[in-house]
């Protein structure tokens, strides 16, 4: 208490100083303002420094049960300011008084227009007695209104630990004391939006109670949202109702849900951004974000997850089974925090049976890491000659010359930053600013970079020369592409067995290069794809209609930036508002997603609008048969984060190869857990260094700006090994989502997972086509490792088999040209390893 | 003499002097064409006009911010520039739109009709709404000289 008083005293003196400094300017303003009376009132009011409410430690993780027998954890209170206390219902000592005080607080707070942002929480310290039912009876006996007041119970160990070690409040037994057999603290605890304790208050003392109310009001005010509507995106809920209603008569199997289990996964990775994508937002390519990629890095049969970030080190999380992960970034040798990360691609570059890793970055240099098969990586960037220093984005490994070694194509965007660097404004959980990281300042006019020849960067094709060395053969094979590209995709468009390259241009028309038997490439962009998305981001090649050939789905984000539309317009092509002088489209652009149906004769037909493939503000897409019906479904990450509004991700269920059905709300992917559509974007010191920030107008003190949540990359795989497809996302400036499917609990599904092992071909079988024959159906997939946005992964091919319980045969077309058929005793619902015969 | 009458008299004198001194200017020729520089900077439109000598970049250039002035019945060339971001400049009432990018030159050409007021819409490629980029274009009757708006 002594320290706290001292703290108050010192903050008071700071306040006096601040007030003195401000007076002269405030008076000047008064002289010419017509609202003198109001302004004088503002000055006379004691301006208490908002920073005075200290940030203490965070409330540790808990998972308890409330009076309605619902499971409640920290995340249910995230995004609220709450007041906690500890009670037990049999208590005859201070508890009734405390509950009465909490009720008084509730009645007082209810009058606030921010009441919706607040919660009350009473933790029981006598859970043996305080079952959910006992709590409910207690509430009824006192006629408490508890729609925003949780009474939580669980095990004694958990609750006592939470009190003692979490909230640092003593609790002990006193068997002699019949009125108070459990002694516990009478303090009320104030917890903020992000689960951090901000103060302790003696609730039964009037001063304590009034201090609590004062600090609570201050902490509530700390949160600002931009745009202001982003916190309560009630339309998300409306869309959910509409979609669920429209799905009632659907013939597609959709009776299952995804649940975000990030808090149970052990994964604590949080993506961090540079200032140009947050506090100093400008339209520069930093807002494209990063990748999530998977591979079994330590050969234990479980797929591990690699997240990339702009600020700090990318992280590798080892899969422990049962949905649990551990951070092995440092142990694995992959800790690198001196550059702004972008993409990540796993591939076995030396055919030794393990997955190596290529990471891209902005300006400082890309890196190649060789895996020893046990999850230890060695930096071989210099030796391999792959350390491109550019504004690199996605990278894709494929064997363009079919020599059995995986080559590498690196997409370089174009120069979107200047030479000068700046410190990243980053705040710790305790609100302390750290300045450990630098970034190259983005050009203010980066979005017009494609109009400036001097900002061109050429993408690079590296040929794998063996012995972990690569050679830039871009010029040699006539693949010199200067598109503003973030990604490329591999497809054998003319069915000649040689992989061709589709290069996404995110500020112009896409390019397509046909592979001339591994010797050279010929540009056939407009011949094969007359019109392409103007702002292409991600793509995936897959057999949409199970006709045996590969179709291409391409997402277009930049066209959607041209105009913010809402509702039904989100599902239409953009009514582009950019001028042709900016677009340089030559009339050959589509302003939205493209879906190219393969006509099996080297021709493609664009059918996105016929099959409901248009989505809003999309980044990349991932595919997987999430309902195991034998048709590949699509998950599309979306949304622009601060300073834009929230835009939901899309989950498109494939309706028998006829069209896509919007299903993100039906399947629980949207709304996000606890209905969150926003999260803290950055901190502002409106009385100090950020005074001139746009959002500090009329504000003082510390402000935390909440902006829209938004995903960037994703990967669809069977994370918990229960036979169905789960989804992991890379969230921009936030923790990932781990969306676990309960499909296999809801339905007996039929599937097979296939691992390929090449011998003449590259060991991973990248480039192989696999056909599974089951009943009258033929399911075709290519092993290209393409996953989500900016990423390449290595994981088994997953085939949902619909009602087919028997597989007749499996045919593999290896990149070497070998075709092999497997037909003996193929069990379903297993992982099958197929090796190329020598 | 009450103070207010003194002031009125004074103002009247000023007014006469002003009118006398500016009479010759009202006889200036009508502008058949004009080149105006439109520069986006810090989310504002800065307009620069050639002034009496009809040449941009000289001492007598006139300027305005946010609102644009155009001579009536004249050929207009707007030279679009930017000192920072990528902007879109639009006159939606007459269906015109062009971008402004630092170090690059873009131009809008059109002919004005009789006196009217048009909307100017500006946009910058980011999530903020910048009201300062929205203004008006006043097509001015030239009977009293085009630059009468700047007095």
């Amino acid at each position: 208490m002594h320290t706290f008083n001292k703290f108050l005293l010192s903050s008071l003196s700071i306040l006096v100083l601040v007030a003195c400094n401000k007076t002269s300017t405030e008076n000047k303003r008064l002289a010419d303002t017509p609202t003198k009376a109001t302004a004088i009132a503002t000055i006379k009011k004691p301006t208490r420094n908002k920073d005075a409410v200290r940030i203490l430690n965070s409330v540790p993780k808990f998972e308890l049960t409330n009076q309605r027998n619902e499971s409640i954890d920290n995340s249910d209170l995230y995004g609220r300011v709450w007041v906690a206390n500890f009670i037990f219902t049999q208590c005859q000592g201070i508890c009734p008084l405390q509950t009465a005080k909490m009720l008084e607080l509730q009645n007082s707070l209810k009058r606030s227009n921010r009441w919706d942002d607040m919660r009350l929480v009473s933790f029981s310290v006598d859970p043996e007695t305080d079952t959910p039912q006992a709590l409910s009876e207690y509430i009824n006996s006192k006629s408490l209104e508890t729609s925003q007041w949780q009474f939580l119970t669980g095990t004694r160990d958990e609750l006592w630990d939470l009190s003692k070690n979490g909230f640092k409040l003593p609790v002990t037994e006193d068997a002699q004391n019949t009125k108070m057999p459990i002694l516990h603290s009478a303090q009320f605890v104030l917890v903020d939006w992000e689960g951090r304790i901000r103060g302790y208050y003696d609730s039964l003392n009037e001063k304590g109670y009034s201090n609590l109310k004062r600090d609570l009001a201050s902490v509530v005010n700390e949160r600002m949202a931009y745009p202001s509507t982003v916190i309560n995106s009630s339309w998300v809920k409306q869309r959910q109702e509409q979609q669920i209603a429209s799905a009632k008569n659907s013939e597609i199997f959709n009776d299952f849900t995804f649940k975000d289990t990030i808090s149970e996964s052990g994964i604590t990775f949080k993506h961090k951004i540079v200032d140009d994508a947050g506090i100093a937002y400008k339209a520069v390519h930093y807002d494209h974000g990063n990748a999530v990629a998977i591979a079994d890095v330590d050969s234990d049969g479980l797929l591990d997850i690699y997240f990339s970030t702009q600020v700090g080190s990318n992280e590798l999380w080892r899969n422990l089974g049962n949905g649990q992960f551990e951070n092995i970034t440092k142990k694995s040798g992959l800790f690198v925090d001196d550059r702004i990360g972008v993409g990540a691609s796993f591939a076995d570059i030396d055919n030794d049976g393990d997955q190596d890793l290529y990471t891209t970055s902005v300006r400082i240099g890309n890196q190649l890491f060789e895996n020893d098969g046990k999850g230890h990586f060695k930096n071989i960037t210099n030796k391999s000659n792959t350390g491109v220093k550019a504004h690199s984005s996605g990278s894709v490994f494929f064997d363009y010359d079919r020599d059995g070694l995986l080559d590498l194509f690196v997409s370089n965007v174009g120069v979107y930053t200047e030479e000068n660097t700046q410190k990243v404004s980053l705040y710790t959980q305790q609100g302390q600013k750290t300045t450990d990281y630098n970034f190259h300042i983005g050009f203010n006019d980066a979005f017009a970079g494609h109009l400036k020849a001097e900002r061109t960067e050429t993408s690079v094709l590296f040929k794998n020369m063996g012995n972990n060395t690569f050679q830039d053969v871009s010029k040699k094979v006539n693949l010199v592409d200067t598109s503003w590209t973030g990604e490329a995709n591999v497809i054998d468009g003319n069915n000649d067995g040689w992989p061709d390259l589709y290069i996404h241009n995110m500020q112009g028309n896409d390019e397509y290069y046909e592979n001339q038997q591994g010797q050279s490439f010929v540009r056939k962009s407009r011949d094969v794809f007359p019109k392409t998305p103007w702002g292409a981001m991600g793509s995936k090649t897959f057999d949409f209609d199970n006709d045996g050939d590969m179709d291409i789905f391409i997402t277009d984000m930049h066209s959607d930036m041209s105009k913010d539309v809402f509702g039904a317009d989100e599902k239409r092509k953009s009514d582009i508002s950019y001028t042709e002088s900016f677009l340089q489209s030559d009339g050959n652009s589509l302003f939205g997603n493209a879906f190219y149906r393969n006509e099996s004769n080297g021709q493609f037909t664009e059918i996105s609008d016929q099959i409901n493939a248009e989505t809003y503000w999309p980044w990349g897409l991932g595919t997987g048969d999430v309902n195991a019906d034998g048709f590949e479904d699509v998950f599309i990450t979306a949304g622009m984060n601060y300073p834009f509004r929230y835009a939901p991700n899309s989950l498109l269920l494939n309706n028998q190869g006829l069209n896509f059905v919007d299903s993100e709300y039906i399947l629980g992917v949207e709304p996000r857990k606890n209905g969150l559509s926003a999260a803290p974007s950055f901190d502002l010191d409106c009385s100090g260094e950020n005074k001139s920030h746009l959002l500090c107008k009329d504000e003082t003190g510390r402000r935390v700006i909440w902006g829209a949540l938004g995903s960037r990359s994703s990967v669809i795989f069977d994370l918990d090994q229960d036979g169905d497809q789960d989804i992991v996302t890379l969230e921009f400036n936030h923790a990932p989502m781990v969306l676990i499917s309960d499909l296999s609990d809801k339905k007996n599904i039929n599937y097979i997972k296939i691992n390929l092992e090449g011998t003449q071909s590259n060991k991973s079988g990248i480039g192989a086509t696999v056909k599974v024959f089951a009943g009258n159906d033929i399911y075709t997939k290519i092993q290209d490792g393409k996953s989500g946005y900016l990423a390449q992964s290595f994981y088994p091919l997953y085939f949902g088999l619909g009602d087919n319980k028997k597989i007749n045969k499996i045919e593999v077309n290896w990149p070497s040209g070998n075709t092999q058929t497997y037909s003996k005793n193929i069990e379903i619902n297993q992982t099958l390893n197929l090796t190329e015969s020598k | 003499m009450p103070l207010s009458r003194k002031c009125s008299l004074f103002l009247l004198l000023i007014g006469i002097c002003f009118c006398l001194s500016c009479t010759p200017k009202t006889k200036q020729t009508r502008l058949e064409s004009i080149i105006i520089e439109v520069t986006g900077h810090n989310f504002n439109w800065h307009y620069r006009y050639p002034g009496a000598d009809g040449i941009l970049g000289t001492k007598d250039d006139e300027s305005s911010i946010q609102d644009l002035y155009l001579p009536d019945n004249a050929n207009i060339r707007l030279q679009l520039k930017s000192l920072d971001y990528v902007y879109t400049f639009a006159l939606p009432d007459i269906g015109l739109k062009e971008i402004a990018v630092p170090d690059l030159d873009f131009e809008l050409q059109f002919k004005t009709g009789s006196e009217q007021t048009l909307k100017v819409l500006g946009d910058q490629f980011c999530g903020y709404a910048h009201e300062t980029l929205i203004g008006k274009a006043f097509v001015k009757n030239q009977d009293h000289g085009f630059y009468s708006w700047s007095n």
Side-chain angles (χ1 to χ4, degrees):
Chain A
M1 198 46 101
H2 179 67
T3 328
F4 187 59
N5 279 342
K6 242 169 77 184
F7 173 77
L8 270 183
L9 205 64
S10 65
S11 37
L12 209 63
S13 52
I14 291 169
L15 271 178
V16 172
L17 285 176
V18 170
C20 291
N21 282 338
K22 287 203 81 175
T23 316
S24 62
T25 49
E26 285 287 347
N27 280 341
K28 228 182 251 171
R29 197 168 65 80
L30 279 179
D32 51 23
T33 172
T35 53
K36 225 178 223 183
T38 340
I40 289 170
T42 316
I43 282 185
K44 279 191 173 172
K45 208 173 82 183
T47 41
R48 192 171 168 276
N49 190 337
K50 302 291 194 298
D51 287 345
V53 187
R54 300 165 301 167
I55 297 174
L56 305 170
N57 50 313
S58 293
V59 175
K61 241 177 83 172
F62 63 80
E63 194 174 345
L64 299 164
T65 308
N66 72 1
Q67 67 271 23
R68 290 181 284 275
N69 214 6
E70 297 158 340
S71 173
I72 300 290
D73 64 30
N74 313 55
S75 66
D76 293 291
L77 294 159
Y78 185 82
R80 313 281 182 191
V81 175
W82 46 290
V83 177
N85 71 345
F86 288 85
I87 58 141
F88 61 103
T89 61
Q90 300 299 307
C91 165
Q92 294 165 35
I94 54 163
C95 303
L97 291 173
Q98 272 208 64
T99 300
K101 205 68 193 172
M102 199 65 124
L103 179 62
E104 186 186 332
L105 181 66
Q106 173 167 265
N107 288 337
S108 159
L109 297 178
K110 264 183 175 172
R111 290 194 292 271
S112 156
N113 59 1
R114 301 291 299 270
W115 170 233
D116 188 44
D117 291 324
M118 306 175 201
R119 293 291 182 271
L120 305 176
V121 183
S122 294
F123 294 95
S124 169
V125 283
D126 182 18
E128 293 87 350
T129 314
D130 292 340
T131 60
Q133 198 188 342
L135 290 172
S136 174
E137 283 164 11
Y138 177 77
I139 289 161
N140 290 338
S141 73
K142 294 187 176 299
S143 305
L144 302 175
E145 209 281 291
T146 59
S147 60
Q148 288 178 211
W149 188 351
Q150 303 278 4
F151 284 77
L152 299 180
T153 184
T155 66
R156 177 176 282 229
D157 281 353
E158 190 174 5
L159 283 156
W160 281 41
D161 185 56
L162 190 63
S163 175
K164 286 193 278 195
N165 300 322
F167 285 92
K168 317 280 184 205
L169 294 174
V171 53
T172 181
E173 263 179 308
D174 184 3
Q176 309 303 317
N177 187 340
T178 49
K179 277 191 172 176
M180 282 283 286
I182 301 171
L183 290 174
H184 64 90
S185 168
Q187 297 277 309
F188 279 10
V189 188
L190 176 61
V191 185
D192 74 9
W193 307 98
E194 296 165 63
R196 299 172 300 195
I197 295 172
R198 303 298 292 272
Y200 294 88
Y201 309 87
D202 183 355
S203 58
L204 303 179
N205 160 311
E206 270 316 305
K207 192 163 180 354
Y209 180 69
S210 67
N211 284 347
L212 165 64
K213 290 215 293 186
R214 178 201 62 199
D215 287 356
L216 194 146
S218 174
V219 169
V220 164
N221 274 335
E222 279 176 4
R223 180 172 87 171
M224 279 171 60
Y226 194 94
S228 58
T229 50
V230 81
I231 300 287
N232 296 312
S233 302
S234 52
W235 52 270
V236 178
K237 195 89 190 146
Q238 287 165 15
R239 286 189 192 182
Q240 179 185 27
E241 286 159 14
Q242 283 165 11
Q243 194 178 88
I244 288 171
S246 73
K248 280 202 172 119
N249 303 319
S250 175
E251 286 177 14
I252 313 167
F253 185 78
N254 59 18
D255 185 19
F256 65 104
T257 52
F258 289 89
K259 190 182 159 212
D260 184 3
T261 64
I262 179 69
S263 42
E264 293 102 75
S265 68
I267 296 171
T268 57
F269 168 78
K270 185 182 176 289
H271 180 262
K272 297 187 191 76
I273 59 171
V274 298
D275 291 26
D276 281 359
I279 188 168
Y281 181 83
K282 56 178 85 155
V284 62
H285 301 75
Y286 279 127
D287 57 19
H288 293 221
N290 296 78
V292 53
I294 58 165
D296 174 10
V297 297
D298 52 358
S299 317
D300 65 353
L302 297 167
L303 291 164
D304 311 300
I305 309 180
Y306 184 76
F307 297 101
S308 71
T309 182
Q310 283 178 346
V311 179
S313 178
N314 296 346
E315 291 183 10
L316 177 62
W317 287 79
R318 180 172 170 261
N319 193 337
L320 303 171
N322 302 325
Q324 295 284 305
F325 291 81
E326 68 166 337
N327 187 350
I328 57 163
T329 311
K330 283 200 169 145
K331 209 161 70 182
S332 67
L334 289 174
F335 185 89
V336 178
D337 70 347
D338 63 348
R339 59 200 75 202
I340 306 298
V342 185
S345 295
F346 281 110
D348 183 358
I349 56 167
D350 45 8
N351 290 329
D352 64 352
D354 57 47
Q355 296 296 308
D356 311 297
L357 176 68
Y358 189 70
T359 61
T360 64
S361 70
V362 181
R363 277 188 184 259
I364 307 287
N366 302 344
Q367 294 185 303
L368 182 61
F369 299 92
E370 183 192 359
N371 188 351
D372 71 353
K374 294 174 188 146
H376 305 122
F377 289 82
K378 192 172 127 194
N379 189 338
I380 57 163
T381 310
N382 290 340
K383 182 196 166 191
S384 68
N385 307 315
T386 56
V388 176
K389 288 183 181 174
H391 297 73
S392 295
S393 185
S395 58
V396 57
F397 286 95
F398 70 118
D399 186 4
Y400 83 89
D401 53 1
R402 293 168 62 188
D403 63 353
L405 292 168
L406 288 174
D407 311 301
L408 170 65
F409 182 76
V410 181
S411 291
N412 290 329
V413 178
V415 184
Y416 59 78
T417 68
E418 55 181 76
E419 290 282 347
N420 297 329
T421 60
Q422 187 182 309
K423 296 269 181 213
V424 176
S425 313
L426 197 65
Y427 287 82
T428 64
Q429 184 72 359
Q430 277 66 43
Q432 304 301 315
K433 190 172 179 181
T434 59
T435 50
D436 299 341
Y437 305 102
N438 293 306
F439 72 99
H440 285 274
I441 301 165
F443 284 128
N444 288 333
D445 63 347
F447 200 23
H450 61 291
L451 304 179
K452 299 187 168 186
E454 71 276 15
R455 293 195 190 166
T456 300
E457 276 179 349
T458 309
S459 294
V460 185
L461 178 67
F462 286 108
K463 176 176 160 55
N464 189 334
M465 308 302 289
N467 197 25
N468 288 346
T469 59
F470 289 77
Q471 196 180 73
D472 178 352
V473 293
S474 313
K475 281 188 186 142
K476 191 177 159 199
V477 301
N478 207 19
L479 187 79
V480 181
D481 190 88
T482 56
S483 306
W484 276 65
T485 176
E487 273 211 343
N489 198 356
V490 178
I491 179 172
D492 180 8
N494 58 353
N495 307 312
D496 66 350
W498 294 89
D500 310 308
L501 204 58
Y502 187 104
I503 296 179
H504 306 167
N505 189 346
M506 50 178 143
Q507 281 156 244
N509 298 325
D510 295 343
E511 302 292 353
Y512 176 68
Y513 296 89
E514 212 172 71
N515 186 342
Q516 308 298 303
Q517 308 207 345
Q519 299 301 306
S520 64
F521 284 84
V522 173
R523 185 167 170 261
K524 293 231 171 149
S525 312
R526 295 294 74 77
D527 304 334
V528 182
F529 301 96
K531 284 192 170 200
T532 63
W534 183 80
M537 292 296 148
S539 75
K540 176 73 181 152
T541 301
F542 65 101
D543 184 5
F544 165 67
D545 42 13
N546 287 351
D547 65 351
D549 55 35
M550 291 295 133
D551 311 299
I552 315 174
F553 193 154
I554 299 169
T555 50
D556 176 340
M557 198 290 288
H558 274 165
S559 291
D560 287 336
M561 269 198 81
S562 126
K563 207 178 195 179
D564 185 9
V565 297
F566 197 74
D569 286 342
E570 294 178 15
K571 298 291 289 182
R572 298 193 187 110
K573 291 279 176 294
S574 175
D575 176 17
I576 199 82
S577 70
Y578 302 150
T579 59
E580 176 60 21
S581 56
F582 178 73
L583 293 167
Q584 308 273 307
S585 76
D586 301 327
N588 295 326
S589 297
L590 294 166
F591 301 107
N593 299 349
F595 192 99
Y596 297 111
R597 185 177 64 208
N598 193 332
E599 305 297 3
S600 299
N601 56 1
Q603 300 290 310
F604 292 83
T605 310
E606 203 288 306
I607 56 165
S608 56
D609 289 337
Q610 288 99 295
I611 62 167
N612 188 35
E614 189 55 52
T615 61
Y616 199 53
W617 277 350
W619 294 103
L621 69 157
T623 66
D625 187 359
V626 297
N627 58 359
D629 67 351
F631 287 91
E632 196 80 340
D633 310 302
V634 177
F635 177 73
I636 304 178
T637 52
M640 280 288 296
N641 301 73
Y642 173 88
F644 297 86
R645 63 138 168 123
Y646 181 67
N649 291 325
S650 299
L651 207 167
L652 303 174
L653 282 181
N654 185 333
N655 177 24
Q656 309 279 308
L658 298 171
N659 54 21
F660 288 114
V661 178
D662 300 323
S663 304
E664 55 280 351
Y665 297 96
I666 301 163
L667 300 181
V669 167
E670 292 287 344
R672 287 159 182 255
K673 191 175 179 189
N674 301 316
L676 276 185
S677 54
S681 294
F682 52 86
D683 292 24
L684 287 177
D685 176 4
C686 288
S687 300
E689 63 171 314
N690 308 120
K691 237 187 252 178
S692 57
H693 194 278
L694 190 72
L695 301 182
C696 277
K697 195 169 171 273
D698 304 326
E699 303 289 340
T700 53
R702 177 175 184 267
R703 289 287 181 271
V704 180
I705 310 303
W706 284 48
L709 285 161
S711 309
R712 291 297 183 276
S713 190
S714 69
V715 57
I716 305 179
F717 69 109
D718 185 4
L719 182 144
D720 53 359
Q721 296 192 294
D722 63 350
D724 57 34
Q725 300 267 274
D726 311 302
I727 304 171
V728 175
T729 67
L730 184 287
E731 297 298 313
F732 195 72
N733 199 18
H734 202 59
M737 288 195 284
V738 176
L739 299 166
I740 298 294
S741 166
D742 66 358
L743 175 72
S744 61
D745 300 331
K746 291 280 178 70
K747 193 184 182 201
N748 289 322
I749 53 171
N750 307 314
Y751 67 91
I752 189 158
K753 296 184 214 171
I754 298 175
N755 272 320
L756 299 176
E757 188 180 327
T759 52
Q760 293 179 57
S761 308
N762 69 84
K763 188 125 180 175
S764 305
I766 295 290
T769 306
V770 181
K771 285 182 185 293
V772 171
F773 296 75
N776 294 321
D777 299 310
I778 305 168
Y779 307 111
T780 311
K781 290 194 198 307
I782 53 164
Q783 175 60 294
D784 61 359
K786 187 83 191 66
S787 64
Y789 181 49
L790 306 172
Q792 192 171 21
S793 296
F794 185 70
Y795 53 131
L797 291 169
Y798 177 94
F799 292 82
L801 299 173
D803 294 330
N804 294 307
K805 293 193 187 308
K806 192 173 175 304
I807 291 171
N808 309 326
K809 63 171 181 174
I810 297 172
E811 199 178 278
V812 182
N813 272 305
W814 295 94
S816 62
N818 290 338
T819 299
Q820 247 172 291
T821 305
Y822 307 82
S823 56
K824 279 186 191 153
N825 309 323
I826 304 170
E827 297 283 328
I828 63 163
N829 297 356
Q830 63 146 339
T831 302
L832 189 67
N833 298 312
L834 299 179
T835 307
E836 182 181 14
S837 59
K838 291 188 181 169
Chain B
M1 195 183 275
L3 191 65
S4 60
R5 275 191 68 185
K6 261 189 190 172
C7 282
S8 309
L9 198 66
F10 180 68
L11 285 174
L12 189 69
L13 280 170
I14 294 275
I16 290 165
C17 296
F18 180 74
C19 283
L20 285 173
S21 72
C22 62
T23 309
K25 277 195 179 173
T26 57
K27 285 190 175 168
Q28 70 182 194
T29 49
R30 293 183 60 86
L31 294 172
E32 299 296 325
S33 65
I34 187 170
I35 297 174
I36 302 170
E37 195 179 84
V38 181
T39 306
H41 182 216
N42 199 20
F43 315 114
N44 273 290
W45 292 122
H46 297 259
Y47 303 106
R48 202 146 66 97
Y49 310 79
D53 66 1
I55 303 164
L56 263 176
T58 54
K59 266 187 182 170
D60 75 336
D61 283 0
E62 297 283 356
S63 65
S64 67
I65 294 178
Q66 197 158 11
D67 290 335
L68 169 66
Y69 296 88
L70 301 168
D72 65 346
N73 299 304
N75 291 308
I76 313 289
R77 281 172 68 187
L78 299 182
Q79 294 182 338
L80 295 160
K81 297 177 186 308
S82 165
L83 295 182
D84 42 35
Y85 302 96
V86 184
Y87 296 95
T88 298
F89 175 90
L91 296 166
D93 301 322
I94 50 175
L96 289 174
K97 189 192 284 186
E98 192 43 280
I99 50 170
V101 181
D103 308 320
L104 296 180
D105 296 321
F106 293 92
E107 195 170 276
L108 274 179
Q109 291 191 26
F110 57 102
K111 194 169 176 5
T112 52
S114 50
E115 187 164 86
Q116 61 172 320
T117 303
L118 305 170
K119 276 199 292 268
V120 172
L121 292 184
D123 185 24
Q124 190 261 328
F125 296 72
C126 78
Y128 301 111
H130 293 287
E131 287 169 8
T132 46
L133 287 170
I134 297 169
K136 289 192 170 70
F138 299 103
V139 179
K140 303 296 280 185
N141 184 312
Q142 297 190 61
D143 290 353
H144 299 290
F146 169 60
Y147 288 106
S148 55
W149 56 265
S150 71
N151 291 321

